[in-house]
Amino acid sequence: MSWQDAIPNPGALAVVQRNFGVWRKLLLPSMLGNFGDPLLYLLALGYGLGHFVGHMDGMPYITFIASGIVASSVMNTASFEGLYSAFTRMSAQHTYAAMLATPLRVSDILAGEVLWAAIKGLISAVAIIIVASFFGAIQGPWVWLSIPVILLSGLSFGSLALVITAMARSYDFFMYYFTLAVTPMFLFCGVFYPLHSLPAFAQDIAQVLPLTHAVALLRPLLTGQLPRQVPYHLGVLLLYTVIPYLIAWRLLVRRLLR
């Protein structure tokens, strides 16, 4: 198969529609799981720790951390969807095999999964934005511009997750990804404190991680400012969408069509 076969057809939307139909039946527990933990972080750290921290980077700490939690929630939600849910559909339920018996191709399934992971990330992020707005932690005229950034971030983390899923032989495999990638990004990519507080070498490492660029774009937009170096940050997130997507496609072709 050529790389042109990696370009999805509109059939990818059928995959999204199918996943949405299943998710809608579990709407309430899914929503609680998607933003329950981030909301607890917002309340516990934003108010609890924020009482002692005061201001950070010229804004109340709850405002600083709320925007970071929005970005990290996109990462976590898209990652979980691209890992556990996608693996269940692929291996446990054999949904992918059933889809391939239709005119859908591997690229359609993959693109649909990545897009659905991004949509799940958007749903989680918007829920947190709404709740944080009631606390006055998110405000300003540029909040609506965060929507495309959230979607692109979700596509990035969804594509990365599908690479791991394409290689996984069991659910246990995902712990390596969370331990070596997701957790370090959560802790060291500017969610809880500005990057300039890190040693120089750690800042350099953080600059190659996608969550850093999601935070760099979302924090200003959610606090009434415009971000800097927008093409650079968008470019990195776009690379983390396209390159992992192509890798995941090649791996899934070998796995599903062997």
Side-chain angles (χ1 to χ4, degrees), residues 78-88 90-91 96 110 114 156-182 185 240 243-252 255:
S79 296
F80 268 99
E81 186 64 31
L83 294 171
Y84 291 95
S85 298
F87 186 79
T88 298
M90 179 178 67
S91 292
Y96 289 5
L110 176 61
V114 172
S156 301
F157 294 115
S159 294
L160 286 167
L162 264 297
V163 172
I164 307 301
T165 297
M167 296 187 295
R169 298 301 169 184
S170 70
Y171 294 102
D172 294 335
F173 189 79
F174 300 143
M175 290 306 300
Y176 295 108
Y177 181 65
F178 273 95
T179 300
L180 299 175
V182 174
M185 282 193 285
Y240 269 106
I243 295 176
Y245 171 86
L246 294 174
I247 295 173
W249 173 78
R250 177 59 75 184
L251 292 172
L252 283 175
R255 180 164 184 167

Side-chain angles (χ1 to χ4, degrees), residues 134-199:
F134 283 109
F135 294 103
I138 288 178
Q139 55 190 329
W142 310 114
V143 174
W144 63 275
L145 286 176
S146 67
I147 301 301
V149 175
I150 290 170
L151 274 174
L152 179 57
S153 301
L155 292 173
S156 301
F157 294 115
S159 294
L160 286 167
L162 264 297
V163 172
I164 307 301
T165 297
M167 296 187 295
R169 298 301 169 184
S170 70
Y171 294 102
D172 294 335
F173 189 79
F174 300 143
M175 290 306 300
Y176 295 108
Y177 181 65
F178 273 95
T179 300
L180 299 175
V182 174
T183 300
M185 282 193 285
F186 182 60
L187 295 176
F188 300 112
C189 286
V191 173
F192 300 106
Y193 49 82
L195 286 181
H196 60 72
S197 62
L198 292 172

Side-chain angles (χ1 to χ4, degrees), residues 45-59:
L45 297 180
Y47 276 108
L49 185 60
H51 175 74
F52 298 97
V53 174
H55 284 65
M56 184 169 287
D57 268 12
M59 64 186 77

Side-chain angles (χ1 to χ4, degrees), residues 19-54:
N19 291 346
F20 174 77
V22 174
W23 172 79
R24 187 174 57 182
K25 298 177 182 179
L26 303 170
L27 178 62
L28 182 58
S30 179
M31 289 296 292
L32 288 175
N34 282 343
F35 73 94
D37 284 346
L39 181 58
L40 291 176
Y41 275 110
L42 178 65
L43 294 175
L45 297 180
Y47 276 108
L49 185 60
H51 175 74
F52 298 97
V53 174

Side-chain angles (χ1 to χ4, degrees), residues 27 36 41 74 93-94 102 107 113 184 197 209 243:
L27 178 62
Y41 275 110
V74 176
Q93 299 174 344
H94 302 290
T102 72
S107 58
E113 290 284 22
S197 62
L209 301 175
I243 295 176

